[in-house]
């Protein structure tokens, strides 16, 4: 198998990984959903009706109901990456006398990440029930744009508190609803948002640390072998100085699993890093993913002003109280008593 074929296989895996990561955003009009709809229309002409119904039912169960499939995939990907890191990268780096604390850092981050994962997936995100509805409805004021007073959830049969939303996955209303994350198989709401933010940050740090150690190992191998000062002879018998493309191909053929893992964790670092920065921005501005997506329909501002009745409605984020107080709200969600003191 030549280098181009291996690269195309790797590119296909990258596209698949990006498509899977798009699922965690919870956006119904995502690229994956639109692509799936287009493919479904084409296949409807050639696939039997009975098979279409079975497929639609299974896809609905997979992407619109709570399922442990993505949790299992999450664990499998982590096991594959850490298995390769342990059995090859760690051993090679130990032989090259890398510092032990540096080599153990990914395991420490893994322990912290698993703790945040368990807390986020098992914690109550802020389920609204008839017993706690009266107290939760007093915490946030209605902004009159995204959240209107008097709106009743037809499923739960209760008035929706401000910043809440009914989750179709879990079939319940959630206080300060952010989104439903299939990777933790739980909603992200007021009471587990801190665990989700820490989960994202530690996951990004894990991928970045493994990528940095693996890249340092491959760089050390290249430097010790003096490969960059060498040359190679191509198929036409001509001699060339070693180039980056040849070097990558050589490393890929020499350490295929390590180079493949490096590419995968670099991709994860970029995607998860961007996603973590986005959620950190939401935390610092006291917004949720649900509110951010809805506010795109209006002009946005973080400072409330009174709008004349004859002008188009502009969304104002009335919940932001400053960077420090916004971040504090994530790690210590407000209660009714705290709100009355203000």
């Amino acid at each position: 198998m030549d280098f181009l074929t291996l690269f195309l296989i790797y590119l296909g895996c990258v596209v698949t990984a990006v498509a899977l990561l798009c699922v965690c955003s919870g956006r119904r009009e995502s690229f994956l959903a639109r692509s799936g709809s287009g493919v479904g229309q084409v296949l409807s002409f050639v696939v039997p009706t009975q098979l279409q119904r079975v497929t639609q039912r299974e896809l609905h169960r997979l992407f619109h109901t709570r399922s442990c499939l993505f949790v299992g995939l999450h664990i499998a990907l982590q096991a594959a990456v850490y298995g390769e890191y342990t059995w090859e990268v760690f051993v090679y780096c130990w032989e090259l006398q890398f510092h032990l604390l540096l080599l153990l850092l990914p395991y420490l981050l893994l322990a912290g990440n698993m703790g945040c994962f368990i807390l986020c997936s098992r914690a109550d995100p802020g389920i609204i029930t008839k017993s706690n509805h009266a107290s939760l409805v007093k915490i946030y004021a209605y902004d009159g744009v995204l959240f209107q007073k008097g709106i009743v959830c037809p499923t739960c049969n209760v008035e929706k508190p401000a910043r809440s939303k009914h989750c179709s996955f879990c079939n319940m209303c959630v206080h300060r609803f952010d989104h439903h994350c299939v990777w933790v198989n739980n909603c992200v709401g007021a009471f587990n948002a801190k665990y989700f933010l820490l989960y994202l940050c530690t996951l990004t740090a894990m991928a970045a640390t493994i990528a940095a150690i693996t890249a340092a190992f491959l760089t050390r191998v290249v430097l010790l072998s003096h490969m960059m000062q060498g040359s190679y002879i191509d198929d036409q018998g001509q001699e060339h100085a070693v180039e980056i493309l040849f070097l990558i191909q050589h490393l890929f053929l020499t350490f295929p699993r390590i180079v493949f893992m490096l590419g995968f964790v670099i991709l994860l670092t970029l995607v998860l890093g961007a996603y973590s920065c986005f959620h950190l921005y939401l935390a610092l501005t006291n917004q949720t993913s649900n509110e951010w997506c809805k506010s795109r329909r209006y002009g946005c501002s973080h400072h409330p002003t009174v709008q004349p009745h004859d002008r188009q409605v502009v969304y104002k984020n009335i919940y932001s109280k400053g960077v420090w107080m916004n971040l504090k709200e994530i790690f210590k969600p407000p209660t009714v008593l705290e709100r009355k003191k203000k």
Side-chain angles (χ1 to χ4, degrees):
M1 185 179 295
D2 59 6
F3 178 72
L4 180 59
T5 304
L6 291 172
F7 176 76
L8 291 176
I9 294 175
Y10 171 72
L11 184 61
C13 295
V14 167
V15 173
T16 303
V18 172
L20 289 174
L21 287 170
C22 287
V23 177
C24 71
S25 67
R27 297 176 63 182
R28 295 177 177 252
E29 295 299 325
S30 63
F31 170 78
L32 185 61
R34 293 195 298 269
S35 301
S37 177
V39 172
Q41 292 178 359
V42 175
L43 293 179
S44 63
F45 296 102
V46 295
V47 178
T49 305
Q50 187 64 27
L51 182 58
Q52 291 181 38
R53 292 174 181 173
V54 174
T55 303
Q56 290 175 356
R57 185 169 61 250
E58 292 302 316
L59 288 176
H60 181 273
R61 184 182 64 83
L62 181 61
F63 292 106
H64 296 281
T65 60
R66 296 191 67 176
S67 172
C68 294
L69 174 64
F70 288 98
V71 175
L73 179 61
H74 172 278
I75 296 174
L77 288 174
Q78 278 194 338
V81 170
Y82 270 85
E84 179 61 27
Y85 174 79
T86 302
W87 297 112
E88 290 203 83
V89 177
F90 186 95
V91 174
Y92 288 141
C93 290
W94 179 254
E95 293 177 355
L96 292 174
Q97 298 181 340
F98 277 61
H99 198 284
L100 180 60
L101 183 60
L102 176 64
L103 299 179
L104 293 178
L105 182 57
Y107 299 105
L108 299 177
L109 291 171
L110 175 63
N113 178 258
M114 291 305 297
C116 295
F117 170 79
I118 294 173
L119 289 172
C120 185
S121 61
R122 305 296 294 180
D124 174 13
I127 302 174
I128 300 174
T129 62
K130 292 184 178 180
S131 60
N132 65 12
H133 174 267
S135 60
L136 293 179
V137 78
K138 299 176 183 178
I139 293 179
Y140 293 112
Y142 293 93
D143 63 2
V145 180
L146 300 184
F147 305 105
Q148 305 281 350
K149 186 176 179 59
I151 303 298
V152 177
C153 175
T155 304
C156 301
N157 197 28
V158 294
E159 181 183 0
K160 290 184 177 182
R163 311 192 77 181
S164 68
K165 186 179 184 297
H166 184 86
C167 177
S168 59
F169 288 81
C170 303
N171 195 30
M172 60 189 182
C173 286
V174 177
H175 176 52
R176 198 184 182 277
F177 178 86
D178 190 280
H179 72 289
H180 181 92
C181 180
V182 297
W183 299 104
V184 299
N185 198 27
N186 196 10
C187 286
V188 177
F191 301 141
N192 66 346
K194 54 182 176 291
Y195 303 132
F196 182 75
L197 186 60
L198 293 174
Y199 163 75
L200 279 182
C201 292
T202 53
L203 195 62
T204 304
M206 284 166 49
T209 303
I210 292 178
I213 295 174
T214 305
F217 158 69
L218 294 176
T219 303
R220 182 76 65 86
V221 169
V222 171
L223 293 177
L224 291 177
S225 63
H226 303 288
M227 191 178 301
M228 293 301 296
Q229 286 76 40
S231 60
Y232 70 97
I233 299 177
D234 61 15
D235 296 335
Q236 286 74 34
Q238 297 180 350
E239 186 175 357
H240 300 274
V242 173
E243 302 170 346
I244 296 298
L245 184 61
F246 176 83
L247 182 62
I248 294 175
Q249 180 178 359
H250 176 76
L251 290 174
F252 197 99
L253 296 176
T254 307
F255 307 103
R257 292 186 298 272
I258 294 178
V259 175
F260 186 88
M261 182 195 72
L262 176 60
F264 182 70
V265 293
I266 288 177
L267 171 70
L268 285 181
T269 301
L270 297 175
V271 174
L272 292 173
Y275 196 55
S276 299
C277 291
F278 172 67
H279 270 275
L280 184 59
Y281 160 76
L282 294 179
L284 295 177
T285 56
N286 205 333
Q287 298 183 80
T288 65
S289 297
N290 178 53
E291 294 166 3
W292 185 86
C293 291
K294 288 183 176 179
S295 68
R296 298 305 96 186
R297 306 170 190 169
Y298 310 96
C300 297
S301 174
H302 297 294
H303 304 285
T305 57
V306 178
Q307 296 293 322
H309 295 291
D310 58 345
R311 291 182 60 185
Q312 185 179 3
V313 176
V314 177
Y315 168 68
K316 306 296 178 182
N317 181 12
I318 67 173
Y319 305 112
S320 180
K321 309 177 186 69
V323 172
W324 172 249
M325 294 302 297
N326 293 340
L327 194 59
K328 181 181 178 181
E329 186 172 312
I330 294 294
F331 291 91
K332 187 182 179 183
T335 62
V336 179
L337 295 177
E338 289 176 342
R339 187 171 182 269
K340 286 182 177 179
K341 291 179 182 179
K342 296 178 182 179

